Amino acid sequence: MNVQSHLFVLVYLPLVLILWRVLGGRLENQTAARGFLLCAGVVFCGWGSPLSLPVLGAEGAVSYQLGRRILREPERKRPLLWSGALALLAVLAFFKYTGFVLSLTPLEGAFRPPAWLMPLGLSFVTFQQILWLRDCYDGAVGKDVSPLDYACCITFFATATCGPITRVGELAPQLRRPAPFSWDDLAAGLYCFALGLAKKVIVAGVFANGANFGYAHGKDLSPVECVLTILCYTLQIYFDFSGYCDMASGMARMMGVRLPVNFNSPYQALSVRDFWGRWHITLSTFFRQCVYIPLGGNRNGTAATCRNIMIVFLLSGLWHGAGWGFIIWGGLHGAAQVVERLLKGKVSLPKPLAWALTFLFVNIAWVFFRADNVDQALALLGGLFRGGWGLPCAEFAAALPLKVMNEALGFLQNAIAPGGRALVYWVPLMLLPAGLGLLALPNPLAKAERFRPTVWRAVLTTVCLAGAVLLFAGVDTFIYANF
């Protein structure tokens, strides 16, 4: 089920919130509330592909039982952990990487796993289950997690699509006994949800138009248009993922549940390491605990530490997608962190310069992440060095606005002739500096922690929610839902 749809926003979410609070209003009804939540999660996860539910159910049953056995049989916990993690990764690899592996052989195109069997958010739920096994191994989760608790955690609709990657030991107690109903929680959650939805539908939608146009015409773009295309995708993925993180936290907050912070103004980072401390924080936590530390972390000297960093980021690139562009993107981030580590204490940059270099690097790396193939990425980057710097073409400007904005601009163009033509050209282009300006705003989740309802916030919530709902048509799914 798409989170950015009329069905979800106007029907599913209100029903779930109301019934969750009605059923869970009394302590003796908590089992009924969790049973309902599991049913709601199953409906959400299986809405588009019901035949994927047996795969998710079988995977969840196996990982739960293995975690319990790790807790009961500490003398066998290492082989149980490894067997569980490899089994989960095998399922992920079958669905996600079979096509990529076969493309490297003469069997390219011979077989592709059926998409209708792949569980929703498989990459996220796989890492969530591996983290459960790891927490059982470390003794960081109690023995009181029931099968119902576990099933609710891996099908929780707020995190199923794009995370955050939650720990069962932290989420299960909250689903078992959520915070009592509070109007402040409801208002803060609705505020975050509405702002996140508007970020996705309205703001990310505008920059998605520019990125799609630019990548489709990469070989014909001028240097300025190449720069704008790169910036458009940088802003698109920022507001897309930031929007979902706000929405997920908002939905959970309305239910009396707190999710881990997963996004914290990453484009304000002063280094690539700082960027990864702010972008997809729970993914970084997973790789640090489940890959970097088991490899030895930074305990075996500089060379081993640099090797471990590169392994982590190559795997991170591969997790995001089966393609050379993702691997190169991960490799670039790994190499940048290795360089930063080697120069630590030897080079000190002024903060403005450190921010500019980090932001420039992140922009360039995103090109490989977004491009359909490496050749397309290189063509776009190569376009930066062509001659012919000048204003972007009218077609690029016309591609940016949403449909309703294009219609309004078309009306103004006819009403204010001949000056309307300049208006139609410059107004869309001004959306880019406006988007860059929004990056300086504080994270809504930080505001939600000390949230107080005001008339201004009520108006902003209403406008964002109504505007997003009216503009749902033609909106793409969240970028991270593809991973």
Side-chain angles (χ1 to χ4, degrees):
M1 184 182 295
N2 287 332
V3 175
Q4 69 284 7
S5 68
H6 295 101
L7 175 65
F8 181 86
V9 174
L10 301 179
V11 180
Y12 180 91
L13 182 59
L15 280 176
V16 170
L17 292 176
I18 292 170
L19 291 174
W20 168 254
R21 284 303 186 181
V22 169
L23 290 173
R26 293 185 176 184
L27 188 60
E28 60 268 22
N29 289 339
Q30 293 303 320
T31 300
R34 279 179 291 147
F36 162 72
L37 185 62
L38 175 59
C39 292
V42 167
V43 169
F44 181 85
C45 293
W47 186 263
S49 53
L51 292 178
S52 68
L53 291 174
V55 177
L56 179 61
E59 193 179 54
V62 170
S63 61
Y64 174 76
Q65 290 300 330
L66 281 172
R68 299 291 293 179
R69 287 191 64 186
I70 289 171
L71 291 171
R72 290 195 310 267
E73 306 172 29
E75 70 282 357
R76 299 186 59 208
K77 64 180 185 178
R78 184 178 292 274
L80 289 171
L81 171 65
W82 275 101
S83 60
L86 290 174
L88 291 166
L89 291 173
V91 175
L92 177 65
F94 171 74
F95 283 108
K96 197 167 178 179
Y97 305 109
T98 300
F100 176 66
V101 172
L102 291 180
S103 71
L104 306 177
T105 72
L107 298 175
E108 181 178 5
F111 173 75
R112 185 173 294 274
W116 43 267
L117 272 181
M118 184 170 74
L120 178 70
L122 180 61
S123 295
F124 290 92
V125 77
T126 297
F127 277 15
Q128 183 183 26
Q129 292 175 88
I130 293 175
L131 200 54
W132 151 260
L133 296 176
R134 176 73 197 201
D135 284 346
C136 290
Y137 179 89
D138 292 336
V141 63
K143 297 181 180 181
D144 59 339
V145 177
S146 69
L148 179 57
D149 291 332
Y150 189 74
C152 285
C153 288
I154 66 173
T155 60
F156 188 38
F157 69 91
T159 62
T161 304
C162 304
I165 300 168
T166 53
R167 301 182 112 96
V168 172
E170 295 175 357
L171 182 58
Q174 296 189 74
L175 297 180
R176 194 181 305 127
R177 276 192 193 131
F181 176 77
S182 160
W183 286 108
D184 285 346
D185 275 351
L186 181 63
L190 187 59
Y191 173 78
C192 287
F193 178 81
L195 261 62
L197 191 62
K199 282 182 184 179
K200 163 61 183 173
V201 175
I202 301 172
V203 185
V206 167
F207 299 120
N209 291 339
N212 292 340
F213 178 89
Y215 277 91
H217 300 83
K219 295 181 179 179
D220 304 318
L221 299 180
S222 69
V224 168
E225 290 161 358
C226 289
V227 170
L228 296 182
T229 297
I230 294 170
L231 276 175
C232 275
Y233 187 70
T234 296
L235 293 171
Q236 178 197 353
I237 195 168
Y238 179 94
F239 289 108
D240 188 283
F241 192 43
S242 171
Y244 188 86
C245 291
D246 292 348
M247 291 171 67
S249 293
M251 290 185 284
R253 180 77 176 267
M254 287 188 277
M255 296 175 65
V257 174
R258 300 296 181 94
L259 296 179
V261 175
N262 203 30
F263 195 92
N264 186 21
S265 304
Y267 289 168
Q268 297 179 23
L270 301 181
S271 67
V272 178
R273 182 181 181 184
D274 185 21
F275 172 83
W276 279 103
R278 296 164 174 263
W279 179 280
H280 211 329
I281 298 168
T282 57
L283 180 66
S284 298
T285 300
F286 173 88
F287 274 113
R288 181 170 59 251
Q289 181 173 357
C290 297
V291 180
Y292 181 71
I293 292 175
L295 285 173
N298 58 359
R299 300 189 300 271
N300 299 315
T302 300
T305 300
C306 294
R307 178 204 64 197
N308 296 340
I309 291 172
M310 286 302 301
I311 291 173
V312 163
F313 279 93
L314 289 171
L315 290 175
S316 175
L318 194 59
W319 177 85
H320 281 85
W324 291 112
F326 293 108
I327 295 172
I328 291 172
W329 171 81
L332 288 172
H333 275 273
Q337 290 216 41
V338 167
V339 171
E340 287 179 355
R341 186 172 189 87
L342 295 175
L343 295 179
K344 186 177 181 180
K346 300 175 182 177
V347 177
S348 180
L349 299 176
K351 286 185 177 180
L353 180 58
W355 172 83
L357 289 175
T358 302
F359 187 64
L360 175 63
F361 169 81
V362 169
N363 273 265
I364 293 172
W366 280 138
V367 175
F368 292 95
F369 189 94
R370 167 59 178 82
D372 296 332
N373 50 61
V374 176
D375 289 341
Q376 187 185 52
L378 294 176
L380 185 64
L381 292 173
L384 298 171
F385 304 98
R386 298 190 193 116
W389 284 83
L391 293 175
C393 65
E395 289 80 5
F396 187 93
L400 279 166
L402 301 175
K403 183 180 178 182
V404 65
M405 187 183 294
N406 260 329
E407 292 172 351
L409 288 173
F411 174 80
L412 288 174
Q413 182 177 12
N414 294 329
I416 317 176
R421 182 172 298 178
L423 186 73
V424 170
Y425 177 79
W426 283 108
V427 167
L429 291 179
M430 289 299 102
L431 294 173
L432 277 159
L436 290 171
L438 291 175
L439 300 181
L441 295 178
N443 189 351
L445 298 180
K447 284 188 173 183
E449 289 303 313
R450 52 186 185 275
F451 184 85
R452 292 292 180 272
T454 63
V455 173
W456 158 244
R457 284 174 175 162
V459 171
L460 180 61
T461 300
T462 303
V463 170
C464 288
L465 198 57
V469 168
L470 291 172
L471 294 172
F472 272 154
V475 176
D476 294 332
T477 188
F478 287 92
I479 292 173
Y480 265 77
N482 298 318
F483 306 143

